[in-house]
Amino acid sequence: MTATCLVVMGVSGAGKSTIARRLADSLGWPMAEADEFHPPANIDKMTAGVPLTDADRAPWLAALRDWITEQSRNGIDTVVTCSALKHGYRDVLREARARVRFVHLAGGQDLVTDRLSTRSGHFMPPSLLDSQFGDLEELAADEDGVTVDLARSPEEIVESALLRLDLHPGAPPGR
């Protein structure tokens, strides 16, 4: 059986890390932060308030895809955080040799801006939020995933995602 990778996606400040950690803990799966796959040049650009281009993102997405494949080859189901803003970016992740499923944390820009204003210790400045919302493409019919309202509590988001994806804590995918 092919391993599953849940990609918790959305703009910066949507709560990807929080929800991914809760999903991983609930399912007993390891978790990876896509931010850790960025090359230093990308981090430098974002820290300086410069939006990444598709060319900047290409090696980052490829590295994440390859990590998902490696985990799957070892029979390991995973949860990862990744903005995955565009359909094309998600296509790269779906090239992994795993069942890649998405949990899109969707919500209004005002709510996300409020959340970012209280966050510290992250290289992504709030000034790049406009570019992220500009790039964001909703999940399409050909994408395996669910959209969840990020205004809900973390517990409600996790419960809804697991239910709608037919995933059960402590059980193999789809069981």
Side-chain angles (χ1 to χ4, degrees):
M1 174 182 257
T2 301
T4 295
C5 176
L6 289 183
V7 177
V8 181
M9 61 169 282
V11 297
S12 184
K16 294 182 297 290
S17 296
T18 298
I19 299 305
R21 172 53 45 215
R22 287 174 180 252
L23 284 166
D25 289 348
S26 179
L27 293 165
W29 299 358
M31 181 191 132
E33 292 273 358
D35 285 346
E36 296 173 6
F37 291 78
H38 272 298
N42 284 8
I43 294 171
D44 291 346
K45 279 184 89 168
M46 288 183 285
T47 300
V50 178
L52 298 180
T53 65
D54 288 350
D56 293 328
R57 289 185 179 101
W60 168 63
L61 291 165
L64 187 56
R65 175 204 60 214
D66 294 347
W67 182 86
I68 294 167
T69 294
E70 180 183 334
Q71 300 308 304
S72 181
R73 282 190 182 130
N74 292 317
I76 301 170
D77 300 306
T78 56
V79 177
V80 300
T81 64
C82 181
S83 53
L85 299 174
K86 294 183 180 181
H87 189 272
Y89 302 165
R90 297 187 296 269
D91 284 344
V92 172
L93 298 177
R94 291 187 301 158
E95 291 171 358
R97 298 207 180 266
R99 181 178 182 190
V100 178
R101 308 182 79 190
F102 298 94
V103 177
H104 177 200
L105 303 178
Q109 190 165 347
D110 288 343
L111 175 59
V112 176
T113 299
D114 287 346
R115 287 182 176 188
L116 280 176
S117 69
T118 62
R119 183 168 81 172
S120 62
H122 194 275
F123 57 80
M124 177 74 169
S127 61
L128 291 181
L129 196 55
D130 285 341
S131 71
Q132 288 210 332
F133 272 98
D135 284 347
L136 179 62
E137 296 173 358
E138 301 295 326
L139 288 175
D142 68 332
E143 296 179 286
D144 184 358
V146 296
T147 299
V148 184
D149 182 357
L150 65 84
R152 297 170 71 187
S153 73
E155 295 80 13
E156 291 171 320
I157 291 170
V158 168
E159 181 179 327
S160 175
L162 291 173
L163 179 68
R164 293 171 57 205
L165 293 169
D166 194 28
L167 293 172
H168 308 281
R175 301 214 169 89

